[in-house]
Amino acid sequence: MPTTVAPDLDFIRSLKQLGGENLKSCYQCATCSVVCPISTDDRPFPRPEMIYAQWGMKEKLVSDPLVWVCHNCRDCSSYCPRGAKPGELLAAVRDYTITHFAWPSSFARLFNSARFLPLLFAIPVVLLLAVLAVEGHLHIPEGQIIYSKLFPIHTLEYIYIPVAFFGFIAGLMGMRRYWTAISAQRAGARPRRGLVEAAILTGKEILSHTQFKKCSVEGKRYYGHLPMLYGFLGAFGTTTLVTIYYYSGRFTPLPLYDPTKILGNVSAVLLLYGCGRLVARRFEKEPEERNNLPSSYFDWLFLGLLTAVAVTGTLTELTRLSGAAGIAYPIYFIHLSLIFMLLGYMPYSKFAHLFYRSAAMVHEKMYAPEAVVVALPGPPVAPPVVVEEVEEVEEEKVAAPAGAAAKAPATSPLGGGSKIGGGAPPSMFGGSKIGGGAPPSSPFGGGSKIGGAPPTSPLGGGSKIGGAPPTSPLGGGSKIGGSPPPPAGGSKIGGTPPPAPGGSKIGGTPPPAARPMFGGVPPKPPAPPVAPPAEESKEE
Amino acid sequence: MANDTAAEPKLGTYICTGCGLGEALDIGALEKIAQAAPKSVTCKTHAFFCSDEGVKVIRDDLAGAGVNHVVIAACSGRVNQEVFAFPKEVVLDRVNLREQVAWSHAAKDADTDALAQDYLRMGLVKNSKSSIPASPVTQEVYETLLVIGAGATGMQAAIEAAKAGHKVVLVEKEAELGGYMRTLHRQLPQRQPYTALMEPDLARKQVEVKAQPNITVMTSAEVVKISGQPGLFTALVKSDGRESTLQVGAVVLATGSSPYDATKLGHLGFGASPNVVSSDTFEAMAKSGKLVRPSDGQPARSVAFVLCAGSRDPDHLPYCSSTCCATSLKQAAYVRQANPREGRAYVFYRDMRTPGHLEYFYKAMQQDEGVFLTKGKVTAVKAAGKNQVAVTAEETLLGGPITVEVDLVVLATGMVPSTLAHDILGLQYRQGPALPDLKYGFPDSHFICFPYETRRTGVFAAGTVRAPMTIADATIDGGGAAMKGIQAIAYARTGEAALPRAMDPTYPVFGLDRCTACKRCTEECPFGTLNEDDKGFPQLNINRCRRCGICMGACPERVINFQNYSIDGMSSQIRAIEIPSESSGKLRILAFMCENDAYPAIDMAGVRRLQYDAQVRVVPVRCLGAINQVWIADSLSGGFDGVMLLGCKYGDNYQCHMIRGSELAVERLGKIQETLNRLGLEAERVQYIEFPISDYQRFPEIVKGFVKAIRKIGPNPFKGF
Ligand code: HEM
Ligand code: SF4
Ligand code: SF4
Ligand code: SF4
């Protein structure tokens, strides 16, 4: 039965406003699906999402789990030949999704525009001031700086336990709505794993940040998010422990050698470091051929808030130690207000990603089919590439065991899997020089000709040819050939992976065969599939 | 044959020793051959004949010794033409010792010398058998251009020809100028940045045409018939019921196309609902400002465009109509402009084809949030309720079959050339009143080299009657065709051939005393040059003739000859080649090579110093179709071991400059091979080999293969008879 499609124009307009302004530029070449680390042979991503967005298919997109599995690594955006910025579009969809599923829905509106920012600040400030007024503490307390002189612990508990609880429950409500929506998309499907097993796997993945590590363009985020996450968990743990201490009769401030204090301080450092890196990344200038990481209000509302919490928290401690009460108490007040915002607004800000991402990852682990990695026919060991037909460049007559391919057997978890790196017989490419075939003297394949991205390649279009990806800072500025890959399927061909972030991530990755992404009958892969899980099939 | 030169022939032979010839060849032996030639008055060598000094040597002989036949044995005749340009009365031949001898064969080698000597002998013989056409056919011609059809193409053709100083008669069948442009609401962008639609550029054009004193406009007019030849056409035109006779020099056919008949598109829903319309109907709706559903007159807010409606469909129009993609995008813009908030335009395409600058327009339209594009195959268009239509498409980019419900469906119908319905020109030619078509009713021409030309010299097709194209392209086409028309008139005036043998003053002469009126020449001339008189004898219309010599190749009585390319001349050349004895173990192979592509190709091979077998003797021919069978028979009976015919591709996507030459050559070859078989000679001794100019580097290999094949068969048993 054909699906009836009725585009939602307002949805398209919203996505454009939220940062997906180039979504209509996509012409469905599928290059993005070739480079995306979470795209697989039978689930190309995010090429289809681009046309869903173009066609204003709101329901389809807000209930698409892959949108939240995407780690916004922006590899796709940097390779997209049309500048459609699929990565940015997906971020826009995520922002939209948070608002769409938020509970209660009416609150969500307050978070989409800076117009409401004063109000968001005012809520905790007024509330806390009111509390101080009621309790008669509307002045800087005398004597040694003890923050509970301002807000007694139990007062804070009366405020913050409900706020955190609200944030958490509201977050869960949104998550539930989302879960229901994605489950509806998969109605009738049998889970491959149980919920618990999937949740455990997801937890492991989050704690180890395996997916983060696969990012190229945003490869540095790993070094920010990981310490930040542990810092946050540590800070959360510290608060919990302090509460337990309180009820067992031990009061703050704790001495610096107390284990809880140590945990608190270490967490603060991690949090500060993590936030610092993430913030710094947002100010970084990108090489000319790709756009800078865009930062929306929505991005800053969360990252800024969290950073501010970390900074004020640290200052709270430092000013206390310095004994400057006139500064310490106001900073503490600000810190408390910010924490209120962070926790209370969690379901409506980007912080909600914690819920949606967890849900999406678990759902995927339960239902997503194992990725199929197809070995291309070919000799098990990469044959030397002898580029002989090429007239103009004599020095290319090098029998080069192409770097990438040669490396593949050693590092690829696939062992005997196919090695396309430089191992593809040159005939496949009509004599064009593919990065992998670059002579060893050229470590980055910088000089290799990519122009030949062969539309006739039996590997299908959308090929990411190794050598120097256009976005690579090491790429010698070479550009993948002018020929936009024909929409016939994508393949990922390992070339020489530039040994630095921002380069291609592939090496010996076996290319998927043509993908069934255009609704037509996909060509059958010529060899029986080897089927390791997708996560493991790609090299870091 | 007719030797029209009055003066006694005096031959001068000039052998160049530059460019490595002196080192590679036995120049002395060549000189002896030249000196021994009958009518030879002088033979000179020079280290550098193409230098001023070298040319002066020749010019001095022309003036002093009265030399009027010149043979230059040096570089290929394809180079240095401006250097060796002598007065018209001089019979000039160039013997190619450089590219095809010294540069492509071993130096100081007996076989190479034999080759050089054969070529010199051939050149000398050919020269002696050539003459200058008696009276260069200069004549009074009509300078007026007849332009048929006053749409974008025709108006442009008229304007440009008028600006170039020619009188133009512009014939339009409607009462007003403008053609297809008159039906348009907006026109596709033609200016930077190619993203905004334009008002149809009609009024300005109409004014320009009317303001040109050189243009005479005839509206409500049709051409009844055209007779004559380039420079001298007579056209009968009926206008408002009155007939008038025009005398014109060239004709531009710019009658455009009509939309494909949508009633044949039932499978795409035409007829299923009044809300399914064709592109032109939708354009008319937009022009009248009423983008509404025909069923109830309510505004059409959502519109689905089905592209390739009939086009690229073997059951309808097997070709791409080239503009319907862009036109549909343009009409999508109408939908959006009418309703910026909620207007929706769905475009189902097979491939989005927006050539040239239109790519920018496509990109711009793609940005519109209310334009939904997908590749897909529309499988059903059905009425949905009273006023809606459901369009279902499969194999879409959205992953599976989808349906959209819309107010209106627009079928992007393609273009049918206007010549398909009737011939329009009414040519009074023996081969019929219409332009011969290539396919699908579009006129034939050498598509790659001479796109505006047709197979009727002096008649040029332009705009969508020639091939589907946009108004922008048609406008350029119109200008181009006008220039070609003017050129055709100029050639007629000076009695020269049209392209590709421009500047060739020779022409076929028909020995009617021996003609049997078999009609082969009148039928086979690709350009319809020959009419027949009452008794069926050929009548030459010289200005239609392209000098290809296909008639000469056709003539079984061998009575057609050119002044420098004749049956006897070629037979003599072939006989001038020395056939080594069988005991020497050497073969002789004759290669007839098309002058347009194959011959230049082996010059290129020579320039690149590709080496090939010296047992081959190359003879350039005007076209493979200009090979008379008697030459092949002569060469086999004369002891040649094999004959190759190297020429352009024929059939689909042919590259033959004379359109049908290589095809006819192959047809005729079939008959020769039958004869050979009967004589007990192996048919494989004579072969056609397709040899495009781009394959020059294959030549050594081709020769090698052929030599090998002949060795296998063995030497010609007729050798020595
Ligand atoms: C539940 C598990 C979590 C997952 C899977 C996860 C994953 C991610 C991912 C993929 C991003 C990048 C996406 C983007 O920039 O749009 C991101 C950003 C971020 N995450 Fe998490 N996260 C989790 C939990 C947390 C927690 C608990 C915190 C801290 C309080 C946190 C703080 C942040 C921050 C501040 C950013 C923004 C970075 C920036 O704007 O550059 N995340 N997270
Ligand atoms: S941002 Fe990265 S993970 Fe997300 S779709 Fe693009 S390539 Fe895939
Ligand atoms: S890479 Fe291709 S398919 Fe992906 S967003 Fe860009 S244009 Fe679209
Ligand atoms: S030379 Fe060619 S064009 Fe002229 S009459 Fe003969 S066949 Fe026709």
Side-chain angles (χ1 to χ4, degrees):
Chain A
M1 258 309 280
T3 336
T4 300
V5 183
D8 182 335
L9 266 79
D10 286 329
F11 177 59
I12 301 174
R13 291 182 191 118
S14 304
L15 292 182
K16 283 185 168 179
Q17 249 159 33
L18 288 168
E21 67 273 3
N22 290 5
L23 72 95
K24 279 275 183 175
S25 299
C26 167
Y27 66 167
Q28 295 285 297
C29 69
T31 305
C32 51
S33 297
V34 173
V35 297
C36 172
I38 64 170
S39 178
T40 60
D41 289 3
D42 26 38
R43 278 178 87 204
F45 176 80
R47 197 272 306 153
E49 279 66 15
M50 290 307 287
I51 197 159
Y52 298 154
Q54 292 183 330
W55 279 62
M57 294 166 77
K58 182 168 99 181
E59 298 310 323
K60 191 118 191 159
L61 279 177
V62 295
S63 56
D64 181 343
L66 286 180
V67 167
W68 283 101
V69 176
C70 158
H71 270 46
N72 198 10
C73 68
R74 300 200 309 128
D75 291 7
C76 51
S77 294
S78 62
Y79 280 95
C80 170
R82 271 283 171 115
K85 300 193 191 156
E88 279 77 338
L89 180 265
L90 292 171
V93 174
R94 284 190 291 270
D95 295 355
Y96 188 95
T97 310
I98 291 176
T99 314
H100 182 76
F101 288 117
W103 179 91
S105 318
S106 46
F107 281 22
R109 277 193 323 153
L110 302 180
F111 297 83
N112 281 332
S113 134
R115 247 182 337 137
F116 299 108
L117 191 58
L119 176 66
L120 298 184
F121 272 111
I123 292 172
V125 171
V126 170
L127 184 82
L128 290 177
L129 284 177
V131 169
L132 287 181
V134 170
E135 299 205 342
H137 289 166
L138 247 178
H139 53 84
I140 305 280
E142 299 292 314
Q144 194 201 352
I145 302 174
I146 299 177
Y147 288 128
S148 52
K149 285 185 191 163
L150 194 66
F151 289 105
I153 299 285
H154 61 264
T155 310
L156 286 185
E157 278 171 6
Y158 288 141
I159 302 171
Y160 282 85
I161 290 180
V163 165
F165 200 70
F166 168 79
F168 198 69
I169 294 298
L172 283 181
M173 292 299 286
M175 175 169 157
R176 213 189 65 149
R177 288 177 169 182
Y178 173 60
W179 183 272
T180 313
I182 44 181
S183 300
Q185 293 269 316
R186 284 175 164 156
R190 273 209 10 244
R192 215 154 46 78
R193 299 196 172 82
L195 178 65
V196 177
E197 193 195 340
I200 293 173
L201 279 174
T202 303
K204 281 189 189 160
E205 188 179 314
I206 290 171
L207 292 177
S208 59
H209 271 45
T210 32
Q211 192 63 45
F212 274 97
K213 280 187 238 170
K214 291 176 195 158
C215 298
S216 299
V217 175
E218 294 304 327
K220 290 186 204 161
R221 191 191 286 114
Y222 168 77
Y223 301 98
H225 198 274
L226 188 74
M228 185 204 55
L229 177 71
Y230 283 102
F232 182 81
L233 292 180
F236 195 77
T238 309
T239 318
T240 315
L241 285 174
V242 167
T243 314
I244 295 170
Y245 277 22
Y246 176 74
Y247 286 105
S248 48
R250 290 180 58 192
F251 302 113
T252 46
L254 299 169
L256 282 173
Y257 52 79
D258 185 280
T260 303
K261 189 76 219 174
I262 293 172
L263 174 65
N265 283 339
V266 168
S267 303
V269 170
L270 286 175
L271 200 53
L272 270 179
Y273 175 78
C275 287
R277 288 207 62 152
L278 292 174
V279 170
R281 168 68 190 144
R282 290 200 169 273
F283 287 103
E284 212 173 305
K285 280 264 170 296
E286 284 291 278
E288 211 178 294
E289 60 275 14
R290 67 171 179 247
N291 64 309
N292 296 334
L293 175 62
S295 300
S296 64
Y297 166 70
F298 208 68
D299 290 323
W300 282 123
L301 184 63
F302 173 46
L303 181 59
L305 204 54
L306 186 66
T307 310
V309 165
V311 171
T312 53
T314 313
L315 286 179
T316 306
E317 184 176 351
L318 293 179
T319 48
R320 174 175 63 78
L321 293 179
S322 77
I327 307 176
Y329 285 106
I331 286 187
Y332 178 54
F333 183 86
I334 295 171
H335 182 60
L336 284 180
S337 308
L338 292 171
I339 290 180
F340 183 101
M341 292 168 76
L342 187 69
L343 297 180
Y345 303 163
M346 179 156 66
Y348 318 106
S349 74
K350 212 176 137 185
F351 205 171
H353 78 285
L354 172 154
F355 298 106
Y356 292 97
R357 286 191 181 281
S358 306
M361 287 161 85
V362 170
H363 211 276
E364 278 293 290
K365 297 231 175 325
M366 286 170 70
Y367 288 97
E370 290 286 2
V372 177
V373 179
V374 181
L376 277 179
V381 177
V385 177
V386 187
V387 187
E388 230 165 23
E389 294 291 311
V390 193
E391 251 181 86
E392 324 75 45
V393 188
E394 283 298 314
E395 2 20 303
E396 284 291 329
K397 289 194 180 181
V398 184
K407 200 173 107 208
T411 50
S412 162
L414 284 171
S418 82
K419 289 148 207 85
I420 292 303
S427 64
M428 273 189 182
F429 303 102
S432 76
K433 271 159 277 160
I434 310 286
S441 64
S442 143
F444 309 129
S448 76
K449 275 229 193 116
I450 313 224
T456 51
S457 160
L459 299 170
S463 45
K464 172 166 166 186
I465 311 272
T471 52
S472 161
L474 303 163
S478 78
K479 290 249 184 295
I480 296 239
S483 56
S491 62
K492 191 179 268 189
I493 302 167
T496 314
S504 77
K505 63 192 83 42
I506 318 179
T509 308
R515 294 171 167 176
M517 59 182 86
F518 294 99
V521 186
K524 279 271 169 288
V530 230
E535 296 83 53
E536 287 156 39
S537 69
K538 290 169 185 158
E539 219 188 282
E540 290 94 61
Chain B
M1 65 152 283
N3 187 338
D4 308 77
T5 5
E8 176 65 13
K10 285 186 180 170
L11 170 69
T13 309
Y14 303 91
I15 304 169
C16 191
T17 58
C19 288
L21 302 188
E23 294 82 65
L25 304 173
D26 180 351
I27 301 292
L30 292 172
E31 278 178 287
K32 273 193 204 116
I33 291 171
Q35 280 150 0
K39 319 276 183 195
S40 170
V41 292
T42 177
C43 170
K44 298 206 168 94
T45 63
H46 193 278
F48 199 8
F49 261 120
C50 61
S51 62
D52 291 347
E53 194 190 298
V55 175
K56 189 166 177 296
V57 170
I58 305 175
R59 286 194 179 275
D60 286 350
D61 282 353
L62 297 182
V67 166
N68 53 10
H69 280 239
V70 171
V71 171
I72 300 173
C75 42
S76 165
R78 298 182 48 81
V79 298
N80 284 332
Q81 283 169 349
E82 63 300 335
V83 177
F84 300 123
F86 304 119
K88 276 197 168 166
E89 310 75 62
V90 175
V91 179
L92 171 69
D93 275 283
R94 306 270 302 272
V95 174
N96 188 343
L97 294 187
R98 192 177 74 170
E99 284 83 349
Q100 293 185 20
V101 182
W103 284 359
S104 44
H105 297 88
K108 300 224 172 298
D109 179 277
D111 289 340
T112 308
D113 279 323
L115 178 65
Q117 290 159 20
D118 276 346
Y119 280 169
L120 181 60
R121 269 191 292 268
M122 289 160 76
L124 291 167
V125 167
K126 171 169 186 266
N127 188 266
S128 75
K129 301 268 177 186
S130 298
S131 62
I132 295 299
S135 41
V137 199
T138 47
Q139 50 207 330
E140 283 292 309
V141 294
Y142 310 133
E143 302 281 341
T144 306
L145 222 73
L146 171 63
V147 177
I148 311 171
T153 317
M155 288 196 287
Q156 188 69 18
I159 290 168
E160 301 222 2
K163 279 188 185 161
H166 281 255
K167 294 252 181 274
V168 179
V169 180
L170 181 58
V171 173
E172 167 58 44
K173 76 170 190 294
E174 303 289 333
E176 250 185 83
L177 302 180
Y180 171 69
M181 270 175 124
R182 286 174 54 220
T183 68
L184 296 183
H185 172 48
R186 292 285 180 276
Q187 200 172 296
L188 287 167
Q190 292 185 8
R191 278 190 286 274
Q192 279 276 17
Y194 300 99
T195 52
L197 296 180
M198 312 187 337
E199 289 286 333
D201 195 18
L202 181 58
R204 198 176 60 84
K205 277 268 162 64
Q206 285 170 333
V207 169
E208 207 175 339
V209 167
K210 287 182 186 145
Q212 267 293 345
N214 274 346
I215 303 178
T216 309
V217 176
M218 297 174 80
T219 45
S220 309
E222 267 177 51
V223 171
V224 180
K225 62 179 186 182
I226 296 176
S227 56
Q229 53 178 326
L232 299 165
F233 286 117
T234 304
L236 188 64
V237 179
K238 205 158 91 192
S239 163
D240 286 327
R242 285 206 338 270
E243 290 195 344
S244 40
T245 304
L246 307 174
Q247 293 183 318
V248 297
V251 180
V252 172
L253 178 70
T255 46
S257 56
S258 53
Y260 186 66
D261 180 3
T263 57
K264 293 182 186 156
L265 301 175
H267 66 292
L268 293 176
F270 197 85
S273 152
N275 295 346
V276 179
V277 300
S278 67
S279 231
D280 44 310
T281 308
F282 188 76
E283 192 71 30
M285 289 162 73
K287 195 173 170 68
S288 67
K290 289 203 201 82
L291 284 189
V292 294
R293 301 190 292 218
S295 65
D296 63 351
Q298 288 303 305
R301 285 208 179 76
S302 56
V303 180
F305 295 88
V306 179
L307 272 54
C308 291
S311 294
R312 302 172 69 200
D313 180 340
D315 297 334
H316 299 276
L317 302 177
Y319 51 88
C320 168
S321 293
S322 169
T323 62
C324 351
C325 286
T327 298
S328 299
L329 290 174
K330 174 184 81 172
Q331 296 180 341
Y334 302 163
V335 177
R336 292 290 299 141
Q337 279 155 8
N339 195 342
R341 262 236 66 86
E342 279 301 312
R344 286 144 214 256
Y346 303 87
V347 180
F348 294 95
Y349 59 86
R350 255 172 77 188
D351 299 288
M352 183 52 71
R353 292 182 170 179
T354 45
H357 289 127
L358 289 176
E359 181 74 3
Y360 295 111
F361 179 58
Y362 154 66
K363 280 185 172 177
M365 285 310 296
Q366 208 195 1
Q367 291 303 326
D368 192 315
E369 57 223 20
V371 173
F372 308 104
L373 303 164
T374 185
K375 196 180 174 77
K377 199 172 139 200
V378 171
T379 51
V381 180
K382 291 196 187 101
K386 260 190 29 219
N387 296 313
Q388 292 255 317
V389 189
V391 180
T392 303
E394 283 171 13
E395 292 168 29
T396 66
L397 293 165
L398 290 104
I402 59 163
T403 297
V404 292
E405 291 191 358
V406 292
D407 295 328
L408 201 61
V409 173
V410 177
L411 303 182
T413 42
M415 290 186 196
V416 182
S418 50
T419 39
L420 204 63
H422 78 123
D423 61 73
I424 297 176
L425 293 166
L427 293 172
Q428 304 298 297
Y429 281 34
R430 183 248 179 262
Q431 290 183 7
L435 294 177
D437 70 347
L438 175 65
K439 259 183 181 177
Y440 321 128
F442 292 105
D444 196 3
S445 74
H446 188 281
F447 184 78
I448 306 168
C449 299
F450 320 112
Y452 308 122
E453 303 215 333
T454 66
R455 280 174 51 185
R456 296 296 175 251
T457 312
V459 179
F460 302 91
T464 55
V465 71
R466 175 173 83 73
M469 65 182 81
T470 58
I471 290 179
D473 289 341
T475 308
I476 297 172
D477 236 42
M483 295 305 118
K484 294 296 293 185
I486 292 172
Q487 188 188 43
I489 296 172
Y491 282 140
R493 205 188 297 127
T494 54
E496 286 166 297
L499 289 167
R501 298 192 62 84
M503 335 259 280
D504 186 348
T506 68
Y507 51 85
V509 176
F510 295 76
L512 291 184
D513 42 343
R514 283 187 288 128
C515 171
T516 60
C518 73
K519 302 186 179 174
R520 274 187 219 173
C521 57
T522 60
E523 268 165 26
E524 290 189 353
C525 173
F527 306 105
T529 300
L530 308 170
N531 279 10
E532 281 161 19
D533 68 11
D534 318 336
K535 298 194 194 90
F537 289 118
Q539 283 176 322
L540 176 66
N541 294 282
I542 193 167
N543 298 351
R544 295 185 199 164
C545 174
R546 309 245 183 137
R547 295 16 175 209
C548 59
I550 287 175
C551 49
M552 174 194 206
C555 184
E557 298 301 319
R558 305 187 290 279
V559 301
I560 309 176
N561 292 289
F562 292 78
Q563 289 82 356
N564 64 359
Y565 185 80
S566 61
I567 299 284
D568 173 41
M570 183 65 79
S571 292
S572 308
Q573 278 193 68
I574 294 168
R575 276 196 302 275
I577 298 166
E578 288 187 349
I579 305 290
S581 67
E582 198 180 328
S583 59
S584 72
K586 298 219 159 90
L587 300 176
R588 273 299 167 266
I589 288 161
L590 193 64
F592 289 108
M593 296 188 95
C594 156
E595 271 174 28
N596 302 298
D597 271 12
Y599 191 86
I602 63 164
D603 272 0
M604 272 157 78
V607 168
R608 284 169 176 73
R609 305 296 199 278
L610 302 183
Q611 306 289 301
Y612 48 86
D613 200 316
Q615 302 178 94
V616 178
R617 301 292 177 265
V618 170
V619 234
V621 290
R622 293 184 168 214
C623 172
L624 285 196
I627 299 171
N628 194 287
Q629 306 196 16
V630 74
W631 301 336
I632 298 175
D634 277 1
S635 40
L636 288 176
S637 59
F640 278 92
D641 303 286
V643 179
M644 292 194 273
L645 278 56
L646 292 115
C648 307
K649 179 174 163 51
Y650 62 90
D652 265 358
N653 302 320
Y654 70 83
Q655 295 192 358
C656 175
H657 290 59
M658 303 307 178
I659 319 275
R660 296 211 52 226
S662 46
E663 186 171 359
L664 285 167
V666 172
E667 244 175 72
R668 296 171 188 162
L669 198 60
K671 290 178 202 144
I672 298 181
Q673 283 169 328
E674 271 170 39
T675 321
L676 292 183
N677 275 336
R678 257 186 282 122
L679 292 176
L681 268 178
E682 301 75 3
E684 303 85 74
R685 286 192 192 275
V686 188
Q687 273 181 37
Y688 159 81
I689 297 169
E690 186 181 304
F691 187 50
I693 193 161
S694 48
D695 271 13
Y696 67 88
Q697 81 291 357
R698 266 185 56 221
F699 188 62
E701 210 181 296
I702 290 174
V703 171
K704 207 167 158 189
F706 191 76
V707 167
K708 202 167 149 201
I710 298 294
R711 286 236 179 266
K712 217 162 162 191
I713 308 172
N716 182 344
F718 288 113
K719 241 188 241 291
F721 279 95

